[in-house]
Amino acid sequence: MSFELPKTVKQWNVTGTTGFDALQFSEQPLPQLGDSEVLVKLQGASLNYRDLIIPQGKYAFPTRENVIPGSDGAGEVVAVGRQVTRFKPGDKVVTLFSQAHIGGPSNLETLASGLGGALDGTLRNYGAFNENGLVRLPSNLTPIEGSTLSCAGLTAWNSLYGLSGSQLLPGQWVLTQGTGGVSIFALQFAKAAGARVIATTSSADKVQFLKDLGADHVINYKENPEWGVEAKRLTGGVGANHIVEVAGPASMKQSLEAIAVSGVITIIGFVGGFTEDQPGFIECLLRGCIARGTLVGSRTQMEEMCLAIEANPDKLRPVVDKKVFKLEQLKEAYEYQWAGKHVGKVCIEIE
């Protein structure tokens, strides 16, 4: 029985930079499918901090006017272009954040291919993507769970395994910050690899949650603002081999206090804002460490990550916030995440 293609698409667009009111919902004609494109019936999407700042005009990377937001999505292939060879109708897929980043390091081309910024994204019920910008959904995940992988999952994987010669090894120490998507994925990946994890949080209510995920130690950074010193003490004075730095300049001083000699601080965000007294580059020299900025990752890395998730179904199940929103409730979802009410990934169910 053949699938009858829809004639219209329900979608959100970012119509300006005035805030969440710039998000507009509408129904538009379905564009014609290109020869190298795959039409996906999107069934799940998830939000990232980046999605929240694009309609506020605070995103530092390329953004197209009136873009369909969202980088993270998963669903089912319903049609393929004439030249497509990687997928067929019925396949379950998840989107790649940087559509042109197939392998190797980032470059100007890959930076300009981000879904939901430079290219139309996933917050719609049908979307056409180049076949090279999709990955097979791990067989043990639902579309909503799988939709969390595109940005948060892949960023965490790249943080721990993306730097040649400094990949995570069993027995090493990893430090994660908070209970956002990247931090939770990093904790899960580290424990599955046999590493030891120190997690930080500002909430006493989330300490047990982090321990249940496998954290060996949890530090409340509001109660202990010198948490970097405490983290290093917990490692026996050696320091953490990997630190996944999500807060940015606001917490970099403490990350430098916690890092081991030859350790890697992977800077993946700036949710803590900027400060005038942030550490300088000399701090990396004095501590003999690497500070590395990471912009999500490649399709090759994502395929490796998905294989690891399939091989560890119990240890590597994505953590989805208890409150899941409908596509029509996107503004509410943005407000919910902006208020910091979530634990894990805020997800959108798409019908």
Side-chain angles (χ1 to χ4, degrees):
M1 183 176 177
S2 61
F3 176 82
E4 184 176 350
L5 294 181
K7 292 182 171 53
T8 60
V9 180
K10 295 178 181 179
Q11 64 186 53
W12 287 89
N13 292 83
V14 181
T15 62
T17 56
T18 57
F20 298 161
D21 286 341
L23 295 167
Q24 297 296 324
F25 188 63
S26 67
E27 193 163 350
Q28 301 293 332
L30 179 74
Q32 185 175 352
L33 190 66
D35 288 347
S36 299
E37 290 184 324
V38 173
L39 184 64
V40 179
K41 169 65 182 79
L42 291 156
Q43 297 164 323
S46 68
L47 301 184
N48 299 290
Y49 179 70
R50 168 230 198 207
D51 300 314
L52 308 186
I53 61 175
I54 285 177
Q56 300 182 53
K58 298 177 181 178
Y59 190 55
F61 297 97
T63 304
R64 188 172 63 76
E65 186 177 349
N66 206 42
V67 71
I68 297 172
S71 57
D72 300 19
E76 181 176 344
V77 174
V78 294
V80 298
R82 291 181 298 174
Q83 297 177 4
V84 170
T85 60
R86 298 186 64 238
F87 300 101
K88 65 182 184 305
D91 287 344
K92 304 290 187 179
V93 294
V94 58
T95 53
L96 178 67
F97 181 98
S98 296
Q99 292 282 283
H101 196 178
I102 308 305
S106 297
N107 55 41
L108 291 177
E109 180 186 3
T110 64
L111 291 179
S113 68
L115 283 181
L119 303 177
D120 282 335
T122 59
L123 290 167
R124 47 180 162 167
N125 62 345
Y126 286 90
F129 306 93
N130 187 284
E131 65 170 330
N132 290 317
L134 297 169
V135 172
R136 294 188 184 280
L137 177 70
S139 59
N140 56 307
L141 299 186
T142 67
I144 285 180
E145 290 172 328
S147 76
T148 68
L149 303 178
S150 305
C151 184
L154 183 53
T155 299
W157 184 267
N158 191 358
S159 298
L160 300 177
Y161 292 105
L163 185 60
S164 179
S166 297
Q167 292 95 339
L168 177 66
L169 298 173
Q172 289 187 328
W173 285 96
V174 174
L175 189 146
T176 64
Q177 300 174 345
T179 54
V182 175
S183 298
I184 288 176
F185 271 117
L187 194 166
Q188 291 176 303
F189 290 150
K191 293 305 297 182
R196 294 170 287 181
V197 176
I198 299 170
T200 69
T201 181
S202 62
S203 171
D205 295 336
K206 295 178 180 178
V207 171
Q208 191 58 48
F209 168 77
L210 289 164
K211 288 183 176 179
D212 290 343
L213 283 176
D216 297 274
H217 303 281
V218 181
I219 303 172
N220 187 319
Y221 63 82
K222 280 197 172 178
E223 296 176 355
N224 187 352
E226 299 295 317
W227 55 264
V229 176
E230 173 65 8
K232 194 163 191 176
R233 184 191 69 79
L234 290 170
T235 68
V238 175
N241 306 95
H242 289 269
I243 296 178
V244 182
E245 175 58 72
V246 301
S251 69
M252 192 64 178
K253 182 177 185 297
Q254 292 306 311
S255 288
L256 286 161
E257 293 287 352
I259 195 67
V261 174
S262 295
V264 179
I265 302 174
T266 301
I267 305 168
I268 63 94
F270 46 89
V271 297
F274 298 90
T275 62
E276 294 181 357
D277 59 343
Q278 57 194 266
F281 294 109
I282 192 66
E283 300 296 331
C284 294
L285 172 62
L286 296 176
R287 287 163 174 78
C289 67
I290 297 170
R292 167 183 178 246
T294 294
L295 298 170
V296 196
S298 69
R299 195 184 81 196
T300 299
Q301 291 173 321
M302 189 165 180
E303 289 168 339
E304 293 170 351
M305 176 188 70
C306 288
L307 288 174
I309 289 171
E310 283 192 323
N312 297 272
D314 297 326
K315 295 180 180 179
L316 297 181
R317 184 161 296 279
V319 176
V320 174
D321 188 83
K322 61 184 179 181
K323 189 167 185 178
V324 176
F325 295 83
K326 301 292 186 180
L327 182 62
E328 293 78 6
Q329 298 174 307
L330 186 66
K331 286 185 183 180
E332 295 174 44
Y334 271 51
E335 295 284 0
Y336 180 77
Q337 179 156 331
W338 188 252
K341 298 177 181 179
H342 61 295
V343 175
K345 295 294 291 180
V346 176
C347 290
I348 311 296
E349 182 181 15
I350 306 174
E351 297 176 343

